[in-house]
Amino acid sequence: MTQQGSKMNNAGGNSENSEEVLYNNEHARVTRRTLPEGGGTVIVKETLSVPAARKLVQEARMLARVAHVEGVVKLADVPPQPKTLVFKDEG
């Protein structure tokens, strides 16, 4: 099932650390997260299955190879999290 546009706040209810579900199915969840202290927003792609996790590793390698190409999504400069890719939110 795909779920789009759902907004969630963190456990404390602070809207500064909210996230919006952009896409969700049995393999992956994509959210827009607001970073703390005015850090802007990022797009987080989280894998939910083993095959998707393998693809995520390949995707990260390919994105690193084409990082210099204009128009290609850029990985955000944030600490890595298991089974996720974090992108700069350009839009």
Side-chain angles (χ1 to χ4, degrees):
M1 174 186 280
T2 301
Q3 179 182 9
Q4 297 177 336
S6 299
K7 290 191 178 190
M8 299 178 285
N9 289 338
N10 67 353
N14 183 348
S15 61
E16 286 186 23
N17 291 337
S18 66
E19 68 178 34
E20 176 184 3
V21 176
L22 303 174
Y23 180 81
N24 188 28
N25 70 15
E26 65 274 7
H27 302 291
R29 177 182 305 120
V30 179
T31 58
R32 174 178 284 119
R33 291 187 187 165
T34 303
L35 298 174
E37 301 176 17
T41 58
V42 293
I43 303 298
V44 179
K45 182 177 184 179
E46 176 185 8
T47 61
L48 305 174
S49 69
V50 173
R54 279 186 239 133
K55 288 181 180 182
L56 197 72
V57 171
Q58 294 172 341
E59 184 177 352
R61 288 181 184 147
M62 289 303 298
L63 287 170
R65 290 179 65 188
V66 297
H68 64 282
V69 177
E70 186 177 332
V72 173
V73 66
K74 307 292 187 230
L75 293 172
D77 187 22
V78 297
Q81 301 171 12
K83 300 191 306 184
T84 64
L85 286 179
V86 183
F87 306 102
K88 293 179 181 178
D89 187 0
E90 302 289 341

